[in-house]
């Protein structure tokens, strides 16, 4: 992807139903195939009816740390009661030069992958 396409993507309107949410725990688990990795993120979502996913940021060139956002999306009428979440992504193809960075609402954590 080139810089123009990333800029065009970033200029698109943002959704109203989704927000960055924080995390409590991060685990990187190696896969059964050599040099494959899974990221498991756990925490508490503010609404139990939210769907939580891990979304890599788009880049034109490979960054030192690829950003992966923790995103909660509310679909329709919700229940504003906190509840636990767990989200998983296989990120082998997303690793930056040095690793990944998990991005929540108020915190970030860099993880070096060697």
């Amino acid at each position: 992807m080139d810089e123009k396409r990333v800029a065009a993507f970033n200029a698109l309107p943002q959704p109203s139903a989704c927000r960055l949410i924080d995390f409590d725990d991060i685990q990187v688990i190696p896969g059964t195939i050599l040099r494959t990795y899974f990221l498991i993120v756990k925490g508490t979502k503010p609404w139990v009816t939210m769907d939580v996913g891990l979304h890599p940021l788009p880049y034109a060139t490979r960054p030192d740390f690829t950003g992966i956002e923790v995103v909660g999306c509310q679909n329709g009428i919700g229940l504003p009661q906190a509840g636990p979440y767990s989200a998983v992504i296989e990120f082998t193809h997303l690793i930056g030069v040095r690793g990944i960075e998990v991005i929540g609402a108020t915190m970030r954590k860099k993880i070096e992958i060697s």
Side-chain angles (χ1 to χ4, degrees), residues 6-15:
V6 171
F9 173 80
N10 287 336
L12 292 171
Q14 294 187 14

Side-chain angles (χ1 to χ4, degrees), residues 15-88:
S16 299
C18 297
R19 300 288 183 270
L20 289 177
I21 63 172
D22 279 328
F23 50 88
D24 297 325
D25 185 49
I26 298 172
Q27 295 177 333
V28 172
I29 307 294
T32 56
I33 298 173
L34 185 63
R35 308 261 322 135
T36 60
Y37 300 95
F38 291 86
L39 172 66
I40 302 171
V41 178
K42 296 178 183 178
T44 303
K45 55 188 175 181
W47 291 40
V48 293
T49 47
M50 267 187 166
D51 294 326
V52 178
L54 303 175
H55 298 268
L57 297 176
Y59 295 96
T61 60
R62 189 174 173 204
D64 281 344
F65 290 89
T66 300
I68 300 175
E69 294 181 326
V70 182
V71 178
C73 293
Q74 179 54 47
N75 299 311
I77 297 173
L79 180 58
Q81 172 74 32
Y85 76 84
S86 180
V88 179

